[in-house]
Amino acid sequence: MSIAQNLEKILNKLLNTSCKLVAVTKTHPVEVLMQAYSAGYKIYGENKVQELVDKYEQMPKDIEWHMIGHLQSNKVKYIVPFVSLIHSIDSVSLLKEVNKQAAKVDKVVNCLLQVYIATEETKFGLAEDELLAFLASDELKSFKNVKIVGLMGMASNTDSKDQVRKEFKSLKATFEKVKNNFESENVVMKELSMGMSGDYAIAIEEGSTLIRVGSAIFGNR
Ligand SMILES: *Cc1c(COP(=O)(O)O)cnc(C)c1O
């Protein structure tokens, strides 16, 4: 199947839901992305700063770019001027740097807090107790140039659909907890970013509003 057909198949599954697709383009060259762009798609996600910047520079300017991967503080300045949403805020110090760089360019940058839901050791993110402590802190209120608009999580890389569903349910419950207890001027919970090529169908059932899908559209990396 072509990229356009893969894209259409996934977009059809999102009809009548409030979930949107972030097409994950990492490792694929601009020529490949342009096939999706030509098919009309304009929301893309990258997990590396250098690739995100290179593709932003080379591609049409009506694209909405999302940063989905682990972000180092010293690289924040390169993406803040153009990024639409950062999915991967996993520390207070990182959010502080985004706030600082956003203030320099007079922007308010939308961010998701990445929550650790998988059983694996290797995934980045905040544990639920760290997340809740952070949301209750006064420091967060002083960040005028960032807005927390939701949460992001990655399920375990496992064949067990039950395990994956359990992890998505737990993230959704955390999302509701934050929405009900911690909303403020710069915490407005709207987005729940969960679901990738292997598990997006489950994620949609469990309330995802943003699925991040790469290989099911662009092929294996
Ligand atoms: C690569 C990546 C994805 C997409 O993975 P696929 O399995 O190719 O769909 C989603 N989220 C993050 C954070 C990624 O790095």
Side-chain angles (χ1 to χ4, degrees):
M1 286 216 295
S2 70
I3 287 174
Q5 286 168 323
N6 291 340
L7 203 50
E8 193 185 333
K9 190 179 144 205
I10 296 170
L11 291 173
N12 277 334
K13 292 186 183 153
L14 299 182
L15 293 174
N16 307 316
T17 74
S18 50
C19 187
K20 282 196 282 190
L21 166 70
V22 178
V24 176
T25 52
K26 66 190 188 199
T27 75
H28 296 287
V30 164
E31 301 82 76
V32 171
L33 273 65
M34 283 308 293
Q35 293 178 40
Y37 182 82
S38 302
Y41 211 65
K42 295 187 180 168
I43 307 175
Y44 295 96
E46 277 290 331
N47 74 332
K48 293 215 168 70
V49 167
Q50 189 63 54
E51 265 190 85
L52 183 58
V53 170
D54 286 348
K55 286 171 181 168
Y56 164 73
E57 284 172 355
Q58 291 173 52
M59 293 190 56
K61 293 294 171 284
D62 60 348
I63 289 175
E64 190 180 298
W65 289 103
H66 292 208
M67 175 63 188
I68 61 169
H70 183 61
L71 180 57
Q72 290 171 290
S73 290
N74 61 352
K75 295 188 176 163
V76 166
K77 58 178 176 285
Y78 302 117
I79 65 168
V80 155
F82 68 88
V83 78
S84 293
L85 182 63
I86 300 175
H87 291 230
S88 44
I89 300 294
D90 59 3
S91 72
V92 181
S93 57
L94 178 59
L95 191 66
K96 192 174 186 167
E97 178 64 15
V98 174
N99 184 63
K100 181 176 152 193
Q101 297 300 334
K104 280 190 190 167
V105 292
D106 201 19
K107 253 186 93 168
V108 174
V109 174
N110 288 334
C111 295
L112 306 179
L113 299 177
Q114 184 171 352
V115 182
Y116 184 87
I117 55 171
T119 51
E120 291 130 28
E121 292 283 322
T122 55
K123 304 264 164 78
F124 296 102
L126 299 155
E128 199 195 73
D129 56 340
E130 289 176 303
L131 173 79
L132 299 179
F134 174 35
L135 288 164
S137 76
D138 286 337
E139 192 173 24
L140 180 60
K141 296 189 186 68
S142 71
F143 295 162
K144 302 294 181 209
N145 292 82
V146 291
K147 194 166 183 183
I148 306 294
V149 298
L151 304 179
M152 183 272 243
M154 286 169 88
S156 296
N157 185 8
T158 168
D159 289 334
S160 166
K161 290 197 158 81
D162 288 347
Q163 178 65 25
V164 168
R165 189 179 296 281
K166 201 171 96 187
E167 291 170 5
F168 287 154
K169 272 189 197 300
S170 113
L171 186 60
K172 170 74 172 174
T174 305
F175 176 91
E176 292 299 332
K177 193 185 275 184
V178 174
K179 190 174 172 59
N180 293 329
N181 298 290
F182 293 98
E183 283 210 329
S184 66
E185 212 165 301
N186 57 3
V187 179
V188 181
M189 301 297 283
K190 289 182 295 197
E191 305 290 356
L192 184 54
S193 169
M194 59 186 195
M196 309 180 9
S197 292
D199 56 21
Y200 70 83
I202 303 174
I204 296 166
E205 287 169 9
E206 298 304 332
S208 175
T209 70
L210 289 171
I211 53 171
R212 309 176 310 272
V213 179
S215 44
I217 301 168
F218 298 104
N220 288 327
R221 292 179 288 272

